[in-house]
């Protein structure tokens, strides 16, 4: 039905207008999803900014009457995110929760709610819910930015089949990933860096967060272009770089230049990539993802990085489902 109409309808969102601008608030993994969703809005010409919820409360951005404040929160109970949503409501903003938990506080308190419908997530580290946040973010943007223009319906038509293929493609990434043998090469190194550009930047940040959470090793994610503005000083032959590069466009070429910069410092490079990219010529190892829509490639790339974190943590005998010091739902600010 979606392919025929070229538009997306979300049953929860029958009575919402297209926003003039969007602000997103979230924490941790959900913040990385917010960075991704903000980019999707901006690509549709809707000004959008993602904020860390804990910082938003002290520095809220101004609202217009058609501004929408979106809180992304798996649990719907994260105190920082709830505070930011409440602050925005006090200031008259319309609010929308993107959450996994039906009847959660965020779902009850916001004017609108969209459920990611990922099912209960048992592990402390967010995994399948991040994938579902990105998928739902795509549907949300299609729904809210539907202006009936030709461009809109074409973009939706290409996206929906890619989303439909996503479960099978994710399964094939899980079945065929070589992450286990790759991480074996890099056990006990000094630190692990993750880089990506554009929609792959949130994936790099998320890859590093997952890695540090469950391996307890030092990991950082950077925008690929930022490396040369400082972090390059940390790069040595003992700091593997996980680079997310797909396609062969200008962005991919620029990330490949960044990869050459780290290689000149003897750092090993693991590229998460698709068959279009020539990055394989420069990488020590590649982790392959299937060809898909450019907006969906980050979901597949992220799954490869989740497997990297998983296999490293497993190799180090870490408590993968219950990492030390962390709780599934953070209900204090
Ligand atoms: C990381 C992780 C946390 C949560 C963050 C927000 O694996 O799980 O960073 O993403 O605490 O939680 P929610 O999404 O429930 O608001």
């Amino acid at each position: 039905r979606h392919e025929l109409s070229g538009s997306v309808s979300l049953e929860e969102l029958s009575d919402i207008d297209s926003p003039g601008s969007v602000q997103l608030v979230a924490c941790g993994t959900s913040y990385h999803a917010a960075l991704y969703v903000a980019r999707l809005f901006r690509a549709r010409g809707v000004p959008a900014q993602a904020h860390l919820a804990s910082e938003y409360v002290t520095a809220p951005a101004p609202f217009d009457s058609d501004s929408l404040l979106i809180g992304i929160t798996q649990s719907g109970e994260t105190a920082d995110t709830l505070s930011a949503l409440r602050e925005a409501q006090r200031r008259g903003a319309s609010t929308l929760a993107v959450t996994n938990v039906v009847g959660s506080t965020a779902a009850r308190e916001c004017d609108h709610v969209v459920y990611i419908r990922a099912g209960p997530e048992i592990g402390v580290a967010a995994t399948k819910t991040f994938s579902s946040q990105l998928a739902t973010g795509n549907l949300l943007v299609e729904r809210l930015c539907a202006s009936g223009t030709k461009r809109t319906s074409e973009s939706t038509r290409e996206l929906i089949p890619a989303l439909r293929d996503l479960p099978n493609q994710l399964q094939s990434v899980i079945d065929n990933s070589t992450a286990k043998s790759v991480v074996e090469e890099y056990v006990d190194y000094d630190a692990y860096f993750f880089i990506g550009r554009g929609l792959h930047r949130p994936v790099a940040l998320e890859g590093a967060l997952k890695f540090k959470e469950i391996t307890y090793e030092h990991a950082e994610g950077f925008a690929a272009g930022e490396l040369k503005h400082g972090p390059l000083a940390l790069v040595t032959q003992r700091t593997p770089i996980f680079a997310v590069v797909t396609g062969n466009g200008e962005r991919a070429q620029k990330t490949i230049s960044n990869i050459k910069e780290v290689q000149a410092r003897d750092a090993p490079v693991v590229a998460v990539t698709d068959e279009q990219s020539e990055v394989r010529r420069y990488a020590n190892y590649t982790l392959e993802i299937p060809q898909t829509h450019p907006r969906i490639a980050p979901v597949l790339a992220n799954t490869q990085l989740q497997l990297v974190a998983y296999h490293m943590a497993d190799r180090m005998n870490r408590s993968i489902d219950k990492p030390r010091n962390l709780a599934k739902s953070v209900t204090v600010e």
Side-chain angles (χ1 to χ4, degrees):
R1 191 163 64 92
H2 293 142
E3 283 155 319
L4 289 179
S5 69
S7 68
V8 168
S9 55
L10 293 171
E11 60 186 17
E12 299 104 317
L13 287 187
S14 51
D15 60 341
I16 190 167
D17 295 327
S18 296
S21 67
V22 170
Q23 293 172 28
L24 298 109
V25 291
C27 306
T29 292
S30 295
Y31 171 67
H32 299 150
L35 288 171
Y36 169 94
V37 175
R39 277 186 171 270
L40 299 188
F41 275 113
R42 293 200 295 269
R44 285 305 196 78
V46 176
Q49 252 189 314
H51 302 266
L52 286 166
S54 56
E55 296 291 319
Y56 184 82
V57 177
T58 49
F63 287 112
D64 296 322
S65 57
D66 60 353
S67 299
L68 179 64
L69 194 287
I70 301 177
I72 303 186
T73 165
Q74 185 283 132
S75 62
E77 305 297 344
T78 300
D80 288 320
T81 307
L82 293 175
S83 286
L85 287 165
R86 287 172 188 151
E87 172 67 21
Q89 276 180 325
R90 263 194 298 277
R91 303 175 70 238
S94 169
T95 54
L96 186 158
V98 177
T99 184
N100 195 29
V101 180
V102 176
S104 58
T105 306
R108 281 186 280 109
E109 292 190 3
C110 285
D111 303 314
H112 308 277
V113 58
V114 170
Y115 292 109
I116 63 170
R117 300 182 196 277
E121 189 170 56
I122 309 302
V124 165
T127 48
K128 66 176 180 179
T129 53
F130 180 71
S131 307
S132 297
Q133 286 168 337
L134 303 193
T136 306
N138 274 290
L139 295 176
L140 185 64
V141 169
E142 293 303 324
R143 164 66 183 82
L144 291 179
C145 302
S147 60
T149 62
K150 189 156 178 288
R151 183 173 161 257
T152 302
S153 62
E154 272 171 7
S155 131
T156 304
R157 280 202 185 96
E158 290 158 13
L159 183 72
I160 298 300
L163 280 169
R164 285 213 176 123
D165 289 345
L166 183 56
N168 285 339
Q169 291 188 322
L170 283 172
Q171 192 62 52
S172 93
V173 168
I174 292 167
D175 293 343
N176 302 316
S177 175
T178 53
K180 186 169 189 224
S181 57
V182 170
V183 302
E184 200 59 48
E185 299 293 319
Y186 301 118
V187 178
D188 223 9
Y189 273 51
D190 291 349
Y192 303 82
F193 299 133
F194 295 74
I195 61 170
R197 188 178 283 271
L199 283 176
H200 289 325
R201 175 178 169 243
V203 175
L205 302 183
E206 176 60 12
L209 178 64
K210 212 83 334 176
F211 194 92
K212 70 180 80 160
E213 276 185 294
I214 65 172
T215 67
Y216 315 154
E217 292 296 297
H218 180 220
E220 295 297 330
F222 304 108
E226 274 296 294
L227 267 186
K228 58 186 172 300
H229 298 291
L232 203 50
L234 299 171
V235 168
T236 70
Q237 58 187 7
R238 304 275 315 151
T239 60
I241 313 285
F242 291 85
V244 185
V245 196
T246 57
N248 54 8
E250 196 188 340
R251 284 214 175 108
Q253 295 307 326
K254 284 185 175 172
T255 304
I256 290 172
S257 301
N258 303 132
I259 287 171
K260 290 179 187 162
E261 288 158 10
V262 301
Q263 277 191 323
R265 277 82 185 171
D266 298 323
V269 174
V270 178
V272 180
T273 189
D274 59 5
E275 62 189 16
Q276 277 185 27
S277 173
E278 61 184 61
V279 70
R280 63 194 66 251
R281 297 221 305 264
Y282 306 98
N284 300 68
Y285 293 97
T286 58
L287 296 170
E288 305 284 336
I289 63 166
Q291 211 58 52
T292 183
H293 193 286
R295 281 162 60 174
I296 304 304
V299 186
L300 296 169
N302 177 68
T303 303
Q304 282 287 17
L305 293 183
Q306 287 178 351
L307 290 166
V308 165
Y310 171 82
H311 286 298
M312 185 64 90
D314 192 39
R315 172 71 174 68
M316 301 179 82
N317 285 321
R318 303 301 194 210
S319 164
I320 297 174
D321 282 343
K322 288 197 176 69
R324 70 184 180 202
N325 305 341
L326 300 176
K328 182 73 192 150
S329 179
V330 185
T331 52
V332 290
E333 283 183 45

